[in-house]
Amino acid sequence: MARYITARAAGVNRPPATIFAGGVKRFRLPRDRGHPPANNAGPIAPDAILILPRRTRMDTTHTNQTGFDPLAGVAAVIFPGAGHLVRREPRRAALVAIGVLGLFFGGILVGGIDVIDSREDRVWFFGQALVGPLAFGIDYAHQHHFKVIDLQKRQLRTALPDEARNPVDASPLPIRPDPAGVPTATYTRDGKAVTMAPARPPNIKSLSKVNELGTLMATLAGMLNLIIVIDALFPTLRRENA
Amino acid sequence: MHAELLTLALRPFIDPLPLQRHWWLLIVPVCLLVSIAYKAVRVSDFRTYWKQVFSMTAQLIIAIVGVCIAAFLLVQFIIPRIMPIA
């Protein structure tokens, strides 16, 4: 049976989902993917006027998918913005990545790598861990490539301002100026003395407001990423025009 | 600390930035980045996205400054009137 679709005779075989947006009559199509509505399948009369949806910028970023999207959720957990990329929303994915990664790396830029520390700032790290594997990787690098092993307590700690890190066993090395005034530190490798000049601590511990703000920025990134993971996982929870 | 260490170059992302006096300026990028990420998952129409981002950024900054002023007034004027320090 032929379906007649016309805008000239209003009300004649009007599809059930016809809407009038912005003064232009158009159909709301399922998923906004540019496919004709399923209920209009079949031959169309030669004199019918088929009004297809306008291709707007919104069409590339807005989807009306429903339900539960576990693949997008997993992707969003792995990397900020990847969940929306899986859902074919590249613009939303890029903006999410800019926001979350900007906050996360902005926090590290402000407070140094010291702000990501699962041992000394464990509670804050719970929030930062929501950024995903990136946070765990940076914490691993901080613990195993920047901290020194305290010889008395046998625990990892940040090097003091006058300590360098022994690249062999991660023990702290005292920094002493040589006769020319250059700070140096000496360690032993394969029985030979090796001198680092200039020697400096592997990283400088941030203090006060700079540390607080850097830690806060990285934690805010994790908390925002939780919202983004939920949005990728349950896309229908998104409110319109919020 | 050895004086020589102070002359060594800053290592971005490893050492903290020297923002001890201007830390409060970070309110602007923090609010802007929070708004960018939050509005990215809240808007349905990206034609108004940046307008909403800057609107939310302004609202956040005004709210934080307002809370700051309220806390200042509370600590400096209201509490001393309620409980005068002898």
Side-chain angles (χ1 to χ4, degrees):
Chain A
M1 177 179 169
R3 297 292 301 270
Y4 293 90
I5 304 167
T6 175
R8 290 177 180 168
V12 176
N13 283 336
R14 180 184 294 172
T18 300
I19 62 167
F20 299 87
V24 178
K25 297 172 182 175
R26 67 184 182 95
F27 302 128
R28 181 187 291 276
L29 301 179
R31 296 185 173 210
D32 265 354
R33 294 290 171 85
H35 302 298
N39 58 358
N40 287 321
I44 298 174
D47 60 339
I49 299 172
L50 179 63
I51 304 175
L52 293 174
R54 290 174 298 174
R55 298 295 298 174
T56 63
R57 286 192 300 168
M58 192 176 106
D59 291 334
T60 59
T61 54
H62 177 73
T63 60
N64 289 327
Q65 293 182 14
T66 57
F68 175 62
D69 197 340
L71 182 63
V74 171
V77 168
I78 291 171
F79 193 81
H84 290 88
L85 203 60
V86 167
R87 290 178 45 74
R88 298 177 186 174
E89 298 179 275
R91 189 172 185 186
R92 210 182 288 280
L95 290 167
V96 159
I98 288 170
V100 172
L101 296 179
L103 272 174
F104 187 70
F105 286 107
I108 298 173
L109 178 66
V110 169
I113 198 170
D114 181 56
V115 301
I116 310 292
D117 194 335
S118 63
R119 291 174 187 265
E120 294 181 33
D121 302 318
R122 180 164 294 247
V123 175
W124 289 101
F125 186 74
F126 288 152
Q128 294 161 356
L130 295 171
V131 171
L134 200 59
F136 289 92
I138 290 175
D139 179 61
Y140 180 86
H142 182 201
Q143 304 297 334
H144 294 90
H145 298 286
F146 288 90
K147 286 193 172 182
V148 297
I149 299 174
D150 191 293
L151 297 177
Q152 294 175 340
K153 298 180 181 176
R154 303 302 301 171
Q155 289 179 344
L156 288 169
R157 65 167 170 82
T158 303
L160 299 175
D162 58 353
E163 287 178 342
R165 184 177 187 273
N166 188 334
V168 177
D169 59 4
S171 62
L173 298 171
I175 298 176
R176 296 189 181 91
D178 66 1
V182 178
T184 60
T186 304
Y187 63 97
T188 306
R189 171 175 280 171
D190 299 331
K192 294 179 181 178
V194 180
T195 300
M196 294 187 290
R200 60 191 303 186
N203 70 300
I204 294 174
K205 200 170 183 62
S206 56
L207 301 170
S208 183
K209 295 285 192 296
V210 174
N211 179 264
E212 292 166 13
L213 277 165
T215 307
L216 179 69
M217 287 173 76
T219 308
L220 275 176
M223 295 167 77
L224 273 171
N225 200 42
L226 177 63
I227 295 173
I228 289 152
V229 168
I230 292 171
D231 184 77
L233 204 55
F234 304 102
T236 51
L237 292 180
R238 186 183 305 153
R239 282 191 300 163
E240 295 292 324
N241 299 319
Chain B
M1 181 192 290
H2 296 288
E4 295 83 1
L5 287 177
L6 296 173
T7 61
L8 295 176
L10 175 81
R11 297 166 293 185
F13 299 100
I14 294 175
D15 298 333
L17 289 181
L19 290 172
Q20 297 294 349
R21 292 186 63 187
H22 304 289
W23 59 269
W24 52 273
L25 288 173
L26 290 169
I27 187 177
V28 178
V30 168
C31 291
L32 181 64
L33 289 167
V34 167
S35 303
I36 286 174
Y38 184 74
K39 285 296 177 183
V41 294
R42 300 304 282 179
V43 299
S44 55
D45 185 354
F46 273 96
R47 284 173 294 190
T48 61
Y49 173 75
W50 288 109
K51 183 183 172 187
Q52 291 197 40
V53 164
F54 289 120
S55 172
M56 181 177 169
T57 304
Q59 288 170 5
L60 285 173
I61 292 173
I62 290 169
I64 292 171
V65 171
V67 169
C68 179
I69 292 171
F72 176 80
L73 294 175
L74 182 73
V75 172
Q76 292 293 324
F77 297 104
I78 297 173
I79 290 180
R81 280 174 178 264
I82 297 170
M83 292 187 296
I85 300 172

